[in-house]
Amino acid sequence: MSGQIALDLDDAHTEQPSLDGKRVVVTGGTTGIGRAIAVLLASEGASVFICGRDEQHLADALERINNVGKGDGVAVDLARPEDMRRFWSAADAALGGAIDVAIINAAVPAQTPMDVNEGELRYQLETDLVAYVVASREAARRMGNGGDIVLIGSMSAVSRGKGSSVYVAAKSGVQGFAAAFREEMAPKDIKVGLIEPGLTGADFQYPEYSDEDQRKAINAQKMLRAEDIAVATHFMLTQPRRTAVSLIQVEPRVES
């Protein structure tokens, strides 16, 4: 429009580093939150390597990822040390032995220790806490300056509701680990961030919610979509290096 004054917007935003060309691993990237994150980062130009326990879920996720970008992956169970090693060996082969970003996300449901046998209890803790620590270590070993590790925890670490004490223990452990590991990695210019989602639509975690129940809860703003957590992850990863967004808590607007 003639006569319109040009606006100087130089100070209206800050630097936003690109994800194009970044080498990214996403554990638990075949379903739910992990899949949503992998799809979004691939759409931004990142090369993504994912894992999950189910071959069919892996194939389905990779088909979607490769529709928008570039991805590969392997079916493993990160609670098993040999599978953890196999995951990183496969990631090294796919990404050239170095990574820029790690999303540590793979988890299983867990309730109270009174409802499971010792083997199940140990498996839940191995997946939901120990594998987070080991995967974070392996990721940091493969990063140079400017790396990012994002752990996907849970608001269960804050709400600490009854009937989920094992999950609360694991996610409280992730919360504490993230804070301490962040300090340890800071001199290496590796950021460590934690995202704690509230109730988020995911078949694996809430079997009591049918697909229709989840749609209703999401439409009522009582449940988040996995894509909401992906967007929070994207925000955390696209800040200037001087800026550490160390914790994001994402909750449904309406309390259930």
Side-chain angles (χ1 to χ4, degrees):
M1 181 182 298
S2 62
Q4 186 175 22
I5 300 174
L7 299 178
D8 180 1
L9 299 177
D10 286 347
D11 61 351
H13 212 293
T14 188
E15 173 195 2
Q16 289 186 288
S18 172
L19 296 173
D20 188 31
K22 296 288 188 180
R23 297 157 296 181
V24 178
V25 296
V26 183
T27 70
T30 61
T31 61
I33 290 171
R35 172 183 164 134
I37 293 171
V39 169
L40 179 55
L41 300 189
S43 76
E44 294 277 310
S47 295
V48 178
F49 192 87
I50 66 173
C51 71
R53 294 179 297 169
D54 184 272
E55 290 277 5
Q56 183 55 49
H57 289 163
L58 174 66
D60 182 69
L62 288 176
E63 181 179 5
R64 176 59 181 146
I65 289 166
N66 284 294
N67 281 339
V68 300
K70 180 181 177 182
D72 201 352
V74 63
V76 294
D77 184 344
L78 295 182
R80 305 178 187 278
E82 62 273 20
D83 274 19
M84 177 70 77
R85 291 190 290 270
R86 187 158 67 90
F87 168 69
W88 286 106
S89 177
D92 288 343
L95 300 175
I99 62 173
D100 304 297
V101 176
I103 311 298
I104 312 301
N105 166 76
V108 296
Q111 289 80 40
T112 165
M114 309 311 293
D115 292 342
V116 294
N117 62 41
E118 183 177 337
E120 293 170 316
L121 174 60
R122 289 184 179 276
Y123 179 80
Q124 291 167 354
L125 291 171
E126 285 284 342
T127 304
D128 292 348
L129 177 57
V130 176
Y132 270 65
V133 175
V134 176
S136 296
R137 178 190 68 174
E138 294 303 314
R141 285 175 168 176
R142 290 161 170 81
M143 287 182 175
N145 291 348
D148 285 272
I149 299 173
V150 178
L151 297 101
I152 307 299
S154 172
M155 286 296 293
S156 295
V158 178
S159 60
R160 300 184 177 182
K162 68 177 183 179
S164 60
S165 52
V166 177
Y167 198 67
V168 168
K171 296 310 178 183
S172 296
V174 169
Q175 188 182 74
F177 170 72
F181 198 52
R182 180 181 307 122
E183 297 299 322
E184 293 166 2
M185 293 296 102
K188 302 178 184 294
D189 188 20
I190 295 174
K191 294 183 185 181
V192 178
L194 173 64
I195 298 178
E196 295 183 328
L199 189 66
T200 305
D203 291 341
F204 90 97
Q205 193 161 357
Y206 306 113
E208 68 274 17
Y209 280 89
S210 68
D211 289 347
E212 180 60 27
D213 288 338
Q214 290 193 31
R215 281 192 290 270
K216 289 179 180 178
I218 289 169
N219 289 336
Q221 301 182 20
K222 295 182 178 181
M223 179 179 276
L224 302 168
R225 292 181 59 193
E227 289 78 8
D228 300 328
I229 312 307
V231 169
T233 304
H234 180 274
F235 175 80
M236 185 174 278
L237 293 174
T238 54
Q239 301 306 303
R241 292 311 298 177
R242 65 178 176 273
T243 302
V245 179
S246 55
L247 173 64
I248 299 177
Q249 295 177 331
V250 188
E251 303 176 79
R253 190 185 66 80
V254 179
E255 186 174 340
S256 297

